[in-house]
Amino acid sequence: MYNSKSSLLLLLFLINSFIFFCNADSGTKCSNTSSLIGFESNFTMVQHQLRGHFKILDDCSFQVSRFDMLSGSSDVVFWGAVAVDFSNITRGFPISDHRLNQTTYKNASFSIQLLPNVTWDQIKVLSVWDVTTLSDFGHLTLPTNGSDLYPGRVHTMFDNCKNLSGNYRVRWSLNVEDNWIEIGLEAATKTMNYMAFGWANPNRTKELMLGADIAVAAFTEEGRPFVDDFYITSYSECMLHGKDGSAVGVCPDVVYENTTNGMTLNNTKLVYGHRRDGVSFIRFRKPLNSSDGKYDLPVNPTKEMTVIWALGLMKPPDTIRPYYLPQNHGGPMMVAYGHLRLNVSENVDDCFGPLDADDKQDQDLIIASAKVPLVVTTGEALHYPNPPNPSKVLYINKKEAPVLRVERGVPVKFSVQTGHDVALYITSDYLGGNATLRNSTETIYSGGPEAEGVMASPYELVWAPDRNTPDQVFYQSLFQPKMGWRVEVVDGGLSDMYNNSVFLDDQQVTFFWTVSKDSISIAARGEKKSGYLAIAFGGEMVNSYAYVGWIDNAGKGRLNTYWIDGKDASNVHLTNENLTHVRCKSENGIITFEFTRPFNPSCSSHDKKKECKNILDPTTPLRVVWAMGAKWSEHLSERNMHSVTSQRPVRVMLLRGSSEAEQDLRPVLAVHGFMMFLAWGILLPGGILAARYLKHVKGDGWYQIHVYLQYSGLAIILLAVLFAVAELHGFFVSSLHVKFGIAAIFCACVQPVNAYLRPKKPDHGVEASSNRIIWEYFHVIVGRGAIVVGIAALFTGMKHLGERYKGENVHGLSWALIIWFLIGALLVIYLEYRERQRRRDRFLGRGNWVLGNVEEDDSVDLLNPHHASARTGSQNSGLMEVQLEPLSR
């Protein structure tokens, strides 16, 4: 144990020795040659409620104490520059690697080392600087060679500070020898509110405000600070009696006297005032013992006295009362008003940290309207919200750098009258001035170098923020940074943000969309309260791609995509679609979600993921269904499944911007299919069989049967097509069934035209012309080809019906169709066999294939059967008309 203790003591000794020598060594590296060593100053507050005391320790370090600052970005540093003006301070440099991280500093103290290559001679202005936003939080000026080492007074620093309430403080510094006290009133309050502070009449023990001597400080409508000396005679607003003109109430001292030298009664003298970060600060001086013994109370600096205070709305002057008058403070005690005992000679500092206002934005708010243009000009920078800034900044509707609020989907019109040296643009960059010049990136939403004009010829710029515009962008000048300010982009109505909208089935869900070149933006909003909302692309939820929006347990909106291949929870499969601009929210239980997706998923040719097949064609109607339920979670169960769903899909025409409820067209398609089967399966083949196998029958019966069956079949085909087109509200050539059908109908319609144009049959014994032979081959081949294509159309139609409606009996009907045509094929084989037997028996010894019965003169017009019958009767009944068959001559 003894050895271990000895070893431990030796180790501690070595460590301490190492630290000592390291410190001694580091100390030798920092000299004390600068004339600025020992210089002290206070930071001038610019923003973020920065206060603090500064002292130079040696040639390479300084100390900061009593340091207050509201949190900034992650890149706030100590910054050196040669001057405090905009041009010089923005070209400054960091003097230390110390970062004032994203936290609020409260009465902090610390020492800072300069960077090795930085000396005090290089620094004329030392600033607390936000590199990200080019913002000066506060600064101080170092003396140059030969100048006075005693800095000027910083108006925000005092010897004492007392909290009056959670958002109101009084600061003061006392000078008994010179008979004055300087008071700083500081409150996180609204711009037009007053801050009141003063001494109660020492002879009163109740109703302390009566007879009190108070100072009321506030800001004018133009933002100028002021302070007035008030005396309270009653708990009312200042009133003047008509008879003698005497005043009563809470009135300025000058009102009571109503004399030409009355202004001498205002013994409070404004020293300084500002509003920063939603906090009002006004510093003024008043005498401890005033020459006005009537309305001012003497302040005993060594005695504890009762002080009163209040916060409230300040009423601006009017024609009757040309003074700013405080209104009743309202509010509860110790929040809006109060009193306490205070000895101003005692050191007090219970103000820990800066005041942090809930609303730090003091800039005017302009809400854009689609009907009224916004006039953009330039003017002097008086209250720019993010100093430092150029000498001139942008004004909108005569207001300096206001916050502009716009709605998505509502166009905003700017009348740009900024001069030819300022070009307006809307950018994602906080600073503007063309971010590419700072090696940065930005998104430009509108405007550019051409957006400049003057009053005589303004430039009209129209910007239409859409659903993809961020919640915050900036209006700035393209040629110089930090001339404009923020644009708040809020959601308007979904109907304004999207080009098209329709109700889905039962009108319980509204579907919104906007089609762009390669993508589509979609929104869905439920019309009643629910725990989640889902839409799916398909005829029903099963075998569809679904998009589900809900609010999770943390209150955050969620949106997931799924492939659903069954009716159980286990059949809902999470997918990973490439969605952008995703939003989901719930307002009073109404779910709304939005997203943007490409028409074609970004998948490789070998990717087998389900979402890769979720391709949208904007030219094809999109079938959409919906579902709602009480709760959704990542792990589904039967309890999570929907409680209400659409009864049928709605067909959404994406390009036309319309929709229609998809009806159950199976009865319609059944009639269409039956008519086509009657034509292509019975009538047209029957007409061909009559022309082929009934010519041996005397008379023209075969011809009549052939013509009437063909005409009847063609008429039924055309009626079936018109019937389907009328019910489907369009003629679409996308499916294989329609392509086969068009080809078959074309061939069928060619036959009557072909019959009308056929060459004349030669006289008996005369050899047929080549045109006649070609025509006969063409007529037969086209007719029989039409039958083959028509049968193919029947089978593809059955297949299309099965794919569209998942009909359970389609398979059986397809087999019945196959059996029917097999029977027809067997019948043709049998008739062909009998025909050849008959020909061999009748034309024994002939070595050629005859074209048919030559008894008939088929030079008659096929389209005029009466004329054909008359011509046939005049012919020799022994002659036989040929039927188209190969010849062997």
Side-chain angles (χ1 to χ4, degrees), residues 459-497:
Y459 180 88
E460 185 176 283
L461 174 66
V462 178
W463 170 45
D466 56 28
R467 66 170 301 274
N468 299 329
T469 306
D471 293 339
Q472 178 173 279
V473 292
F474 302 89
Y475 64 91
Q476 294 284 2
S477 167
L478 185 66
F479 302 142
Q480 188 169 11
K482 300 187 74 173
M483 289 189 67
W485 193 227
R486 294 191 299 116
V487 181
E488 295 179 354
V489 184
V490 299
D491 286 340
L494 290 176
S495 57
D496 293 328
M497 297 164 57

Side-chain angles (χ1 to χ4, degrees), residues 43 99 117 137 146 151 168 251 318 336 338 356 375 389 573 590 607 655 661 671 727 744 830 838 854 856 863:
F43 284 97
R99 291 292 188 273
N117 58 341
F137 289 3
Y168 188 18
C251 300
D318 54 33
D356 192 355
V375 179
N389 48 272
H573 309 286
I590 303 297
D607 205 331
L655 295 182
V671 174
E727 290 297 326
Y830 171 73
R838 187 182 62 78
V854 295
E856 304 294 340
L863 300 177

Side-chain angles (χ1 to χ4, degrees), residues 262-279:
M263 291 304 297
T264 59
L265 297 178
N266 185 11
N267 293 307
T268 57
K269 304 300 181 184
L270 177 69
V271 176
Y272 174 79
H274 70 222
R275 267 193 70 85
R276 301 278 192 271
D277 315 300
V279 176

Side-chain angles (χ1 to χ4, degrees), residues 363-429:
Q363 296 303 107
D364 291 309
L365 175 65
I366 292 181
I367 300 177
S369 170
K371 300 179 180 179
V372 182
L374 301 173
V375 179
V376 184
T377 57
T378 57
E380 182 184 1
L382 300 175
H383 306 289
Y384 188 75
N386 182 31
N389 48 272
S391 58
K392 70 175 182 178
V393 296
L394 293 176
Y395 281 64
I396 297 181
N397 292 354
K398 299 183 179 180
K399 296 185 182 296
E400 180 187 359
V403 176
L404 180 61
R405 181 176 295 166
V406 301
E407 287 188 3
R408 293 182 174 91
V410 179
V412 182
K413 184 183 295 185
F414 298 91
S415 177
V416 183
Q417 306 173 17
T418 55
H420 299 301
D421 59 338
V422 176
L424 180 70
Y425 78 129
I426 310 299
T427 174
S428 62
D429 186 62

Side-chain angles (χ1 to χ4, degrees), residues 174-228:
L174 183 65
N175 190 330
V176 178
E177 290 79 6
D178 293 335
N179 189 38
W180 57 256
I181 181 173
E182 284 198 356
I183 298 173
L185 301 180
E186 181 181 38
T189 188
K190 295 181 180 179
T191 306
M192 292 304 297
N193 282 3
Y194 66 83
M195 302 175 290
F197 180 85
W199 277 262
N201 190 322
N203 298 322
R204 300 190 68 91
T205 58
K206 59 181 181 179
E207 295 183 337
L208 299 177
M209 286 194 175
L210 294 179
D213 173 23
I214 61 172
V216 178
F219 291 86
T220 66
E221 294 90 332
E222 295 78 21
R224 293 192 300 269
F226 69 91
V227 61
D228 281 332

